Amino acid sequence: MEGGSSVAVVGAGLVGCSWALVFARAGLDVAVHDADAAARSRVRDRIAAWLGDLAAAGLLEDEAEACLARVRLCDRLDEAVRSAAYIQESVFERADVKAEVCRAIDGAMRPDAVVGSSSSGIPASRFTEGLARRNRFLIAHPVNPPHLIPVVELVPAPWTDADAVSAARALMERVGQSPVTVNREVEGFILNRLQGALLNEAFALYREGYAGLDDIDRTVRDGLGLRWSFMGPFETIDLNAPGGIADYAARLKDLYHSIAMQRTAPEPWPDEVVKRAETERRAALPATALTKRSAWRDERLAKLLAHRRGEG
Ligand SMILES: NC(=O)c1ccc[n+]([C@@H]2O[C@H](COP(=O)([O-])OP(=O)(O)OC[C@H]3O[C@@H](n4cnc5c(N)ncnc54)[C@H](O)[C@@H]3O)[C@@H](O)[C@H]2O)c1
């Protein structure tokens, strides 16, 4: 990924627009393509609104206008990717759509460019196998919205060049994201496997009547989640026993093993349990208020980020 710091984003929905903002605010020129003209017409307004939110939270180091000026909209995919050193694919989460778009990128990209896919769960090997430059493709899975949540999982296919992974990692660090390298493909990558373990247990405890939905949420919001906003589970337990992680394991590994042995035959979340959870959630937050609450979440996230920056 030498000689040039321009990037391209293909697919300009929620995640693609947020990626464009991540690159533009870091000073990179971003070419953005979406197959849908209506989606292209929304890009500038969406990014401008987010830039306003970032500026209000004290999270923007450059002028909003200057950031926006670095975003170039392209009607054609080849025009967007032709000279890009890095391309972020962010189209629909469907293997056939990703395969078609990656074929088009493959035919138009620089031979040394790197292509990261925002895929939430489909591994790169499912849609890049037949490409001429398949060795330059990998997963770069963000958390929504990437301009507020920095982690990005980099997951190579079996044929991805090691230097493509390291170049993507270096770029993500340069633009202020927090890259995680997953050494080989695994369903759900790391983040959704961890989230899935917690959700599976939360649904089981709720179904079995051990606690209500709100109290389970409260356990994370007012308990585990407070530490998790600045340290992970391994560092957490390293500090939770006087002798560190080995001491913690010696004291509590039998308890955790016993708990794990109680869930040896996991089931899909039962429909009636999901329905009950939905009824409770809609009583707490009507469907008409979901968008407003999402905006509130993003505002809180921005304040949390500003706080973390202030703490160094
Ligand atoms: N939304 C999330 O929470 C989230 C989080 C992490 C990763 N992702 C992943 O990011 C990707 C995009 O998700 P999203 O939520 O932004 O979806 P979205 O529906 O908002 O946007 C997808 C965009 O891709 C465009 N597109 C579709 N086919 C195309 C093509 N052939 N060429 C060019 N553009 C095309 C669509 O017009 C649309 O604007 C998916 O792989 C998704 O799984 C989403």
Side-chain angles (χ1 to χ4, degrees):
M1 209 165 68
E2 288 158 9
S5 57
S6 79
V7 299
V9 170
V10 175
L14 202 59
V15 165
C17 285
S18 181
W19 272 122
L21 169 51
V22 165
F23 298 125
R25 75 178 168 191
L28 302 181
D29 292 324
V30 195
V32 178
H33 167 74
D34 195 291
D36 178 19
R40 286 199 302 274
S41 73
R42 286 192 293 268
V43 172
R44 284 193 178 280
D45 286 350
R46 194 176 244 172
I47 295 178
W50 286 334
L51 281 164
D53 295 343
L54 289 177
L59 289 169
L60 200 60
E61 280 151 26
D62 202 352
E63 292 295 319
E65 286 292 314
C67 293
L68 202 55
R70 287 193 280 270
V71 177
R72 178 170 60 95
L73 288 167
C74 300
D75 293 355
R76 294 166 51 103
L77 181 144
D78 56 352
E79 185 197 337
V81 307
R82 203 167 32 220
S83 60
Y86 179 80
I87 299 148
Q88 184 75 39
E89 173 277 298
S90 298
V91 301
F92 299 136
E93 184 76 359
R94 274 179 37 194
D96 59 336
V97 178
K98 290 203 182 290
E100 190 194 321
V101 166
C102 288
R103 226 181 352 262
I105 295 173
D106 189 45
M109 65 192 266
R110 280 170 28 179
D112 64 335
V114 173
V115 187
S117 166
S118 295
S119 167
S120 296
I122 310 169
S125 59
R126 291 256 312 275
F127 56 89
T128 63
E129 184 168 12
L131 304 181
R133 301 199 168 105
R134 65 181 193 171
N135 53 315
R136 308 306 292 169
F137 286 70
L138 72 155
I139 301 297
H141 170 232
V143 177
N144 187 46
H147 69 275
L148 290 175
I149 304 190
V151 82
V152 50
E153 297 183 279
L154 304 176
V155 194
W159 43 77
T160 308
D161 290 341
D163 81 274
V165 182
S166 51
R169 193 172 173 112
L171 175 73
M172 290 301 163
E173 276 167 0
R174 177 178 165 196
V175 300
Q177 299 303 98
S178 178
V180 168
T181 302
V182 182
N183 294 326
R184 60 182 190 280
E185 289 183 342
V186 59
E187 187 178 18
F189 315 136
I190 303 290
L191 187 138
N192 278 326
R193 290 185 80 87
L194 291 176
Q195 176 159 254
L198 188 73
L199 281 172
N200 285 334
E201 185 61 25
F203 265 115
L205 290 168
Y206 177 62
R207 183 189 65 213
E208 291 158 4
Y210 287 106
L213 209 68
D214 185 54
D215 278 352
I216 294 172
D217 264 1
R218 188 183 294 268
T219 309
V220 176
R221 185 182 67 227
D222 297 337
L224 291 169
L226 284 179
R227 287 187 301 231
W228 285 349
S229 68
F230 56 90
M231 62 170 62
F234 288 128
E235 188 173 1
T236 296
I237 66 169
D238 199 33
L239 302 182
N240 274 359
I245 190 168
D247 186 16
Y248 187 94
R251 291 164 191 243
L252 288 169
K253 70 178 183 185
D254 289 345
L255 168 69
Y256 287 116
H257 181 238
S258 170
I259 293 169
M261 292 306 291
Q262 291 160 22
R263 304 279 184 221
T264 52
E267 291 170 30
W269 305 336
D271 289 345
E272 73 277 10
V273 178
V274 174
K275 208 166 158 196
R276 193 150 53 85
E278 164 76 2
T279 306
E280 274 194 54
R281 282 301 307 155
R282 291 296 66 83
L285 183 74
T288 49
L290 281 166
T291 306
K292 198 165 164 220
R293 185 73 171 169
S294 299
W296 170 86
R297 176 205 60 200
D298 289 351
E299 206 180 300
R300 298 291 304 248
L301 276 171
K303 286 186 176 146
L304 183 58
L305 263 190
H307 166 71
R308 282 168 47 130
R309 284 200 189 167
E311 298 287 303

